[in-house]
Amino acid sequence: MFSLLLMCVFGLLLRGDAQDRASLWRGNDQSGRCQYTFTVPSPVESSCPQTGGPEMEGLKARLGMLEVLVSRLTGGQTGGPQAVGARAQSELQEALNRAMGERNLLQGEKERLERELGGLQHRMAEMRREMEKLRNTPCPPQTPIVSPNPSVQNSGPARPAGDSAWQYRHPGFQEVKAEVTEVPAPDRSEDNTGCGELISVGEPVIHKRADNIAGKYGVWMQDPEAISPYGPSMVWRIDTVGSDVRQLYGYEDMEQLSKGFPSKVLLLPEMVESTGATMYRGSLYYQRRRSRTLIRYDLSTESIASRRDLPHAGFHGQYPYSWGGYTDIDLSVDQQGLWAVYSTSKAKGAIVISQLDPNTLEVKKSWETNIRKSAVANSFIVCGKMYAVASYSAPSTVINYMYDTATSQGKTISIPFRNKYHYNSMIDYNLAQRKLFAWDNFHIVSYDLRLGRKQAN
């Protein structure tokens, strides 16, 4: 186009009739490039009208760019600058709130981890002190003990004959009196269930005090029918204070429990609700947190073997024991198998006792009592009979109710019971040792039992 226009101009110049009307200038611009400039006067216009020009076109282009930028900033929405500012402020406030919430969660997790770290450091210090004490203690000489029978030698320590008898105190009330006859504890080698009606409960014997606040409430147990790889002397423990209760501690025996040296720590796949767990045939049975779901956790495979909802059972504070603690479902084991003590809306808060299948967790049979669960501090089952404790905090209280599943009858009783540390959050019959296991305000304790049979009239 430029060449054609240049040829036309040269043509006019060569013709001679445009010499006084057109001019051509050739030269370099500021960048050194060669430029041709020519002017041709208008034959009809004396002056050009100011309707545009490069400046006006540039201004239009800049205005167009500003419109595009404003549209992008407002996201294509309308409403003016005030509406845009309000939306931006709302979005910033929402982002700030999210950040503050995440910060609070992280702070809570940090505090929990610091508490756990403090507890572990305390336990490590105790273990070091115990190791130093053992290192500095000489081994005692082994002296054989000669039995009264000269033909029998016994290298183990002598045991005192008999056991201490419970000294009865005058009870605060006595609704029902029953004539009973004491029978000696059965030999475990005999084919005898050792069942009978509860006569007395001994003084609490302390085995261990928890190290930190997580152990204010808890549950400890032994498997009466232990399965490999764990032996019958293995003791298990769960501290139940906290929002993420999942640690199961295992101890080789009662001595290791008292020293606080766990040989096994398992992290359960589901969180534990309260103090109602129990151990039976190589499995831990417990209630899943915030639900009526029961879980059977296989210790050998370290996995969940079965789970099932306990039909219509209250949970998470609907029907707890009088001390609270979300103790809506209480599992236990005795000579007759696996049991659950709980309540339902149909029972209107009264205690329901169910016998469960230990493999499937299905309910085999149920009994409904006429005693309200919230009026009971705790309960335990021995030989198919449920016993209710009147108070969890009074130092001297009573076992005041018994329900026999064999006869489907309940009655009031009065058997003295001691809460030595004033806050008993767990009481269960331990079939392995035929004692009561309890958790009384940081203290892991046990009670001797005396069973008998009612005389026939």
Side-chain angles (χ1 to χ4, degrees):
M1 179 64 73
F2 175 76
S3 301
L4 181 61
L5 183 59
L6 189 61
M7 290 175 63
C8 291
V9 172
F10 274 115
L12 290 174
L13 291 174
L14 291 174
R15 286 170 55 188
D17 56 351
Q19 290 181 0
D20 57 345
R21 292 182 293 168
S23 61
L24 175 67
W25 181 83
R26 176 177 177 273
N28 295 330
D29 61 4
Q30 294 180 355
S31 63
R33 295 181 63 186
C34 178
Q35 287 188 341
Y36 289 87
T37 304
F38 57 91
T39 58
V40 179
S42 173
V44 294
E45 295 175 338
S46 58
S47 63
C48 296
Q50 299 298 322
T51 59
E55 294 82 6
M56 184 63 69
E57 293 301 325
L59 180 59
K60 288 181 180 180
R62 287 193 293 273
L63 285 174
M65 292 176 64
L66 286 174
E67 290 176 354
V68 172
L69 289 174
V70 170
S71 177
R72 289 180 179 176
L73 288 173
T74 59
Q77 301 174 357
T78 59
Q82 293 182 351
V84 173
R87 284 193 298 272
Q89 184 177 1
S90 175
E91 291 175 357
L92 288 173
Q93 186 63 42
E94 183 179 353
L96 179 61
N97 292 340
R98 286 198 303 269
M100 292 296 292
E102 293 176 359
R103 177 184 174 275
N104 292 337
L105 289 175
L106 291 174
Q107 183 67 26
E109 185 67 14
K110 176 187 174 186
E111 293 174 357
R112 184 183 69 82
L113 292 174
E114 287 176 347
R115 288 194 299 270
E116 292 185 359
L117 177 61
L120 291 174
Q121 289 174 342
H122 180 73
R123 291 181 184 179
M124 288 177 64
E126 285 190 346
M127 292 173 67
R128 291 193 187 98
R129 288 194 295 269
E130 185 68 22
M131 290 175 62
E132 189 66 26
K133 181 179 177 181
L134 292 173
R135 187 180 293 114
N136 297 329
T137 302
C139 295
Q142 298 293 324
T143 304
I145 297 176
V146 180
S147 69
N149 186 352
S151 63
V152 179
Q153 296 290 329
N154 185 358
S155 60
R159 295 187 179 182
D163 52 6
S164 60
W166 168 260
Q167 299 297 323
Y168 278 94
R169 299 185 178 185
H170 180 69
F173 59 89
Q174 183 83 25
E175 289 94 349
V176 177
K177 293 184 179 179
E179 185 179 358
V180 295
T181 301
E182 293 187 8
V183 295
D187 187 351
R188 295 193 183 189
S189 64
E190 296 177 354
D191 185 14
N192 193 326
T193 62
C195 274
E197 191 170 314
L198 182 64
I199 296 175
S200 65
V201 179
E203 286 284 342
V205 177
I206 182 171
H207 301 282
K208 172 69 178 172
R209 189 185 189 282
D211 302 319
N212 52 55
I213 188 62
K216 180 174 175 62
Y217 317 131
V219 55
W220 70 294
M221 52 215 146
Q222 272 186 304
D223 191 340
E225 299 182 20
I227 296 176
S228 180
Y230 304 107
S233 61
M234 193 82 174
V235 183
W236 301 90
R237 158 188 172 179
I238 303 175
D239 297 342
T240 59
V241 175
S243 59
D244 187 21
V245 178
R246 293 199 298 164
Q247 289 181 321
L248 174 64
Y249 298 95
Y251 303 84
E252 291 291 342
D253 50 34
M254 296 291 290
E255 182 181 0
Q256 296 303 311
L257 170 70
S258 64
K259 293 179 179 179
F261 299 157
S263 60
K264 186 72 174 180
V265 180
L266 298 175
L267 188 64
L268 301 174
E270 299 280 2
M271 289 185 287
V272 179
E273 183 88 307
S274 198
T275 60
T278 192
M279 194 78 65
Y280 189 46
R281 295 180 180 175
S283 292
L284 171 71
Y285 296 83
Y286 69 96
Q287 175 192 356
R288 180 178 176 270
R289 188 168 186 251
R290 292 182 179 271
S291 75
R292 60 173 59 93
T293 303
L294 304 181
I295 290 177
R296 179 168 76 90
Y297 178 80
D298 190 299
L299 297 174
S300 61
T301 63
E302 298 183 8
S303 62
I304 293 177
S306 58
R307 68 169 71 209
R308 185 178 297 273
D309 283 358
L310 185 59
H312 313 296
F315 63 94
H316 204 65
Q318 288 180 295
Y319 306 110
Y321 289 128
S322 60
W323 75 269
Y326 304 128
T327 50
D328 300 74
I329 300 175
D330 190 8
L331 302 174
S332 61
V333 171
D334 75 345
Q335 293 86 343
Q336 299 179 18
L338 179 64
W339 300 89
V341 173
Y342 60 103
S343 188
T344 65
S345 58
K346 181 181 177 182
K348 299 180 180 179
I351 287 180
V352 177
I353 307 169
S354 289
Q355 192 169 23
L356 307 178
D357 185 297
N359 294 318
T360 65
L361 300 174
E362 290 181 300
V363 173
K364 297 165 67 176
K365 189 175 181 180
S366 294
W367 296 261
E368 185 176 319
T369 71
N370 58 3
I371 182 171
R372 294 184 63 83
K373 192 165 184 290
S374 60
V376 172
N378 226 306
S379 73
F380 56 92
I381 297 180
V382 184
C383 301
K385 300 176 179 66
M386 186 208 72
Y387 296 89
V389 182
S391 173
Y392 62 89
S393 58
S396 297
T397 185
V398 291
I399 299 169
N400 62 353
Y401 181 82
M402 184 271 286
Y403 186 91
D404 190 349
T405 59
T407 62
S408 300
Q409 297 294 321
K411 66 177 182 180
T412 55
I413 57 176
S414 183
I415 300 175
F417 186 85
R418 290 269 290 163
N419 296 310
K420 185 174 182 179
Y421 302 101
H422 314 299
Y423 211 106
N424 222 326
S425 59
M426 166 252 169
I427 304 173
D428 267 335
Y429 177 63
N430 179 260
L431 180 58
Q433 296 192 27
R434 302 195 181 188
K435 297 182 178 184
L436 288 184
F437 280 10
W439 197 295
D440 190 357
N441 199 14
F442 293 96
H443 297 83
I444 296 173
V445 298
S446 65
Y447 302 78
D448 286 331
L449 298 181
R450 193 172 286 273
L451 303 177
R453 57 176 175 266
K454 188 174 179 181
Q455 281 186 339
N457 294 328

